[in-house]
Amino acid sequence: MNRSHLLNFPNKKIFAVCLFLLGVFLLLRKSYLYNISVESITGFVFIIYSVITFYQAFNEGKREILIIVTILFLTGVELLVKTNIDIYDARGFVFTSVLFISGSIFLILFLENTKQKIFAVSGISLIVLSYLSTTIFKKLGIFYLTNKIANLSGFFWPIVLIIFGISIFINRKK
Amino acid sequence: MDDQNAPNRNEDNFFDKMDNTKPSVIIKKLQRSRNNVIIAGVCAGLGEYLKIDIAKVRLLVLLSLLLGGWSITVYLIAAALLPRESIGDYLSENDVLLMKKENYRTVFSGLLVLSGLYFGFELLGIRNNESIFILPSGFIFPVITIAAGVYLFSIKEPRQSVKTVNLTQNYFRSRKDRFFMGVCGGLANYIKTDSASIRIIMVIITLLTLGFFAIIYFAFTLLTKYEPESSFEFPQ
């Protein structure tokens, strides 16, 4: 049976090995033989897979894969940082990392096609903003506002997800 | 000579008989689909059998995961027991592409609704994450992960020829696929992905960053051009 069409993403074998190792580590953790947090394991898996896939995606100019791999890599780093370092204000961390990750994506897109200066401008602006969010914005009390919005969205975001889901489902044949 | 023609006469008789026979009734069988497959083609097979929209069957199966994950077991049993459709319908490359796009949207929307309901129930205090089926969730998730790993490893990837990639393609705002200024449509076209997903991600990131991301949207609007007129097609 030809099942190659089922899941279309690169480096299936490496992803398969990563999944297998993730499962084994989670089982070991469950049996208290090896104590490592789920976040750390997931972080390592994300980093390993993304670093290997990045090279291939960059060579072949697969932009959608490049974006996904950049997000995976930085999420992996974030997970590792979060588990190893105590962060005082976790919501501010989300604000900063969203800016940083989006900035990195635009920078990667610029490196892939250096003719597109708009990606460089957007990437650098977002990374500068992410840096400022940890320094000046914090002093300006912007995190207070972030926390307020986070509290509100924490209550309403399931409704937003459902609405988005239904709208895509209705318009799926477009 | 007569002897040589004898079999032909028999064949003629056979076809004469065929003409007189009534058209046979096509027995509908529940079987896995050959063309419309995401995992094993069970949902598509069920949809075709019951003459229901396949997307609705898929959505229902995804949402049934909220009932404790029993649908996974039922799906796997069905995938193992149901025969596969022997001859699939002929689909052109364009049809396959459209079908894949629709399937992707169905799964994406189903996952969004599923996570919305899951977190909604969690907020309301209605959730049971202690166990899936009879087994504790701390055990079942690693087992599913290992099984998925082994399954993926067993898939034989066909040796693909290196495709020529159009690296010179530039970014343009989309004329055809736009809500506001065509930034998301252009981005979706540039990275060859679905524009609806890009829009949703853009809205979520803008909310999460207190509107800072909107600056980037306007930077794209100001610093980039619309796609050339020649590639613009009038809607029919």
Side-chain angles (χ1 to χ4, degrees), chain A residues 25-26 28-38 40-41:
Chain A
F25 275 118
L26 288 175
L28 285 174
R29 188 176 164 271
K30 183 74 190 161
S31 57
Y32 303 105
L33 287 169
Y34 187 74
N35 196 15
I36 183 167
S37 66
V38 181
S40 294
I41 306 166

Side-chain angles (χ1 to χ4, degrees), chain A:
Chain A
M1 179 182 159
N2 180 21
R3 293 170 292 172
S4 59
H5 60 287
L6 298 183
L7 300 158
N8 235 345
F9 57 87
N11 290 332
K12 280 195 196 78
K13 301 278 175 202
I14 292 156
F15 187 69
V17 172
C18 288
L19 275 182
F20 183 80
L21 289 175
L22 180 68
V24 170
F25 275 118
L26 288 175
L27 270 183
L28 285 174
R29 188 176 164 271
K30 183 74 190 161
S31 57
Y32 303 105
L33 287 169
Y34 187 74
N35 196 15
I36 183 167
S37 66
V38 181
E39 283 85 4
S40 294
I41 306 166
T42 320
F44 276 123
V45 166
F46 280 3
I47 289 170
I48 293 167
Y49 177 71
S50 56
V51 166
I52 297 167
T53 313
F54 181 86
Y55 178 74
Q56 190 191 343
F58 203 79
N59 265 349
E60 294 177 12
K62 289 178 178 168
R63 289 164 184 151
E64 76 280 21
I65 306 288
L66 266 180
I67 290 175
I68 293 166
V69 156
T70 312
I71 295 171
L72 273 183
F73 178 79
L74 291 169
T75 312
V77 173
E78 186 185 328
L79 286 171
L80 281 181
V81 169
K82 263 173 98 173
T83 43
N84 293 313
I85 300 165
D86 287 329
I87 294 160
Y88 179 67
D89 198 344
R91 275 176 186 160
F93 191 72
V94 172
F95 181 77
T96 308
S97 50
V98 165
L99 286 172
F100 188 80
I101 291 174
S102 349
S104 310
I105 290 169
F106 283 124
L107 267 189
I108 293 292
L109 283 177
F110 169 69
L111 289 178
E112 193 262 339
N113 186 1
T114 44
K115 282 180 191 167
Q116 298 295 305
K117 303 280 184 286
I118 181 69
F119 291 133
V121 173
S122 315
I124 292 166
S125 316
L126 283 168
I127 288 172
V128 169
L129 270 177
S130 79
Y131 171 73
L132 292 178
S133 72
T134 56
T135 54
I136 299 170
F137 292 169
K138 204 169 186 177
K139 281 178 195 162
L140 288 172
I142 211 161
F143 280 10
Y144 174 73
L145 201 65
T146 320
N147 285 353
K148 264 194 162 179
I149 289 174
N151 283 336
L152 264 177
S153 61
F155 191 75
F156 286 110
W157 80 289
I159 300 165
V160 175
L161 283 181
I162 294 169
I163 291 169
F164 271 136
I166 292 170
S167 71
I168 293 177
F169 187 78
I170 291 167
N171 297 316
R172 69 185 185 279
K173 281 185 179 169
K174 263 187 184 174

Side-chain angles (χ1 to χ4, degrees), chain B residues 55-116:
Chain B
K56 284 177 187 164
V57 178
R58 285 192 173 124
L59 188 70
L60 278 176
V61 169
L62 264 175
L63 293 183
S64 68
L65 287 172
L66 287 169
L67 301 172
W70 283 98
S71 54
I72 299 172
T73 323
V74 175
Y75 188 95
L76 291 176
I77 293 169
L81 295 181
L82 287 178
R84 206 162 182 227
E85 199 177 22
S86 51
I87 308 160
D89 299 328
Y90 171 75
L91 294 172
S92 67
E93 208 167 288
N94 193 37
D95 290 339
V96 173
L97 201 75
L98 284 173
M99 194 175 70
K100 274 187 179 174
K101 218 170 186 179
E102 194 192 327
N103 286 348
Y104 164 78
R105 283 185 175 160
T106 307
V107 173
F108 186 58
S109 62
L111 286 175
L112 279 176
V113 176
L114 179 71
S115 22

